[in-house]
Amino acid sequence: QKEVEQDPGPLSVPEGAIVSLNCTYSNSAFQYFMWYRQYSRKGPELLMYTYSSGNKEDGRFTAQVDKSSKYISLFIRDSQPSDSATYLCAMSGTGNQFYFGTGTSLTVIP
Amino acid sequence: DGGITQSPKYLFRKEGQNVTLSCEQNLNHDAMYWYRQDPGQGLRLIYYSQIVNDFQKGDIAEGYSVSREKKESFPLTVTSAQKNPTAFYLCASSLTGTSGDFTDTQYFGPGTRLTVL
């Protein structure tokens, strides 16, 4: 079983829609959870991070962590064509290694 | 501007050649990482280094080598022993690499796309 599972999509939504991206994980020691956005042929850029359970909001983006279910989500409100990218979840525990999902490809159609 | 730079952006290698990918950071981060990204497989860790003159193998180190002679530089050599080197290579850095604190969040460079001819 992989440490982190992420639905690869692709996901296609109309402009203005609410997007939900999700990851599940198996290691209960994970405490730090991140979302990266990666445009085609570019390096990933850090979008959101959260510690332990709970929600964090930043503009149109909300990151949610449910440690009891080992499930994290990223919500994008009022999605824009510029949000079209691959979204990677990542997580780590007390060690120095990060574990990444395979990424979900999102296209927002004008 | 602080950040991570990788060069070249595109690299072509002939069979049997060794090639070196450059990674430089001016973030004053102690830890640096190399990942390989293939379609449908996500990021896989090749090597990482938490301090100058020290580095550890990641999950797929075979056929690769690294050095860490300076804090800001972490070059990756893809040797002829790597049988399937065509991939997108990403370098990252984090502040200390010794704990899960958010100061250790990883920041990525723009990547190098390596193609074997």
Side-chain angles (χ1 to χ4, degrees):
Chain A
Q1 183 184 8
K2 287 185 181 178
E3 297 271 6
V4 181
E5 300 276 1
Q6 184 174 9
D7 186 339
L11 190 60
S12 184
V13 301
E15 183 175 353
I18 296 174
V19 176
S20 173
L21 304 168
N22 311 294
C23 288
T24 59
Y25 62 95
S26 57
N27 190 341
S28 57
F30 288 152
Q31 301 179 67
Y32 304 92
F33 305 91
M34 289 140 280
W35 286 95
Y36 288 85
R37 178 174 61 195
Q38 185 177 23
Y39 291 113
S40 182
R41 298 179 180 271
K42 303 287 186 186
E45 57 178 319
L46 182 66
L47 201 58
M48 297 279 287
Y49 61 83
T50 52
Y51 169 70
S52 194
S53 286
N55 292 359
K56 184 173 182 179
E57 189 172 320
D58 184 3
R60 297 183 295 110
F61 299 90
T62 299
Q64 202 170 75
V65 175
D66 181 349
K67 289 193 73 179
S68 61
S69 301
K70 297 191 181 68
Y71 188 88
I72 68 170
S73 300
L74 177 70
F75 297 97
I76 307 174
R77 291 183 299 281
D78 187 24
S79 55
Q80 302 295 309
S82 59
D83 294 328
S84 298
T86 295
Y87 291 80
L88 301 163
C89 63
M91 46 200 80
S92 68
T94 54
N96 51 22
Q97 194 156 343
F98 286 64
Y99 297 86
F100 289 84
T102 53
T104 298
S105 175
L106 170 67
T107 300
V108 180
I109 303 168
Chain B
D1 282 340
I4 303 174
T5 57
Q6 290 185 243
S7 62
K9 188 173 181 179
Y10 298 98
L11 186 58
F12 298 91
R13 191 193 93 167
K14 293 182 179 179
E15 295 281 351
Q17 269 186 341
N18 292 356
V19 291
T20 297
L21 283 59
S22 169
C23 177
E24 304 275 334
Q25 54 96 2
N26 61 4
L27 299 167
N28 201 32
H29 284 174
D30 285 324
M32 298 186 75
Y33 311 78
W34 274 106
Y35 292 91
R36 169 179 173 146
Q37 187 175 36
D38 296 279
Q41 294 198 49
L43 298 175
R44 292 186 289 170
L45 183 64
I46 304 172
Y47 269 97
Y48 66 96
S49 168
Q50 294 174 261
I51 196 168
V52 173
N53 291 323
D54 188 42
F55 47 82
Q56 285 77 43
K57 293 181 179 180
D59 300 322
I60 55 164
E62 185 174 350
Y64 300 97
S65 66
V66 293
S67 63
R68 187 85 188 277
E69 296 176 1
K70 297 187 295 182
K71 185 176 182 178
E72 58 270 21
S73 179
F74 191 41
L76 173 74
T77 296
V78 183
T79 74
S80 56
Q82 171 49 239
K83 297 306 177 190
N84 186 23
T86 294
F88 190 48
Y89 290 86
L90 288 160
C91 179
S93 71
S94 65
L95 190 61
T96 68
T98 58
S99 74
D101 188 278
F102 275 120
T103 54
D104 281 349
T105 301
Q106 293 187 4
Y107 295 87
F108 286 85
T112 292
R113 187 163 298 276
L114 173 64
T115 303
V116 173
L117 301 174

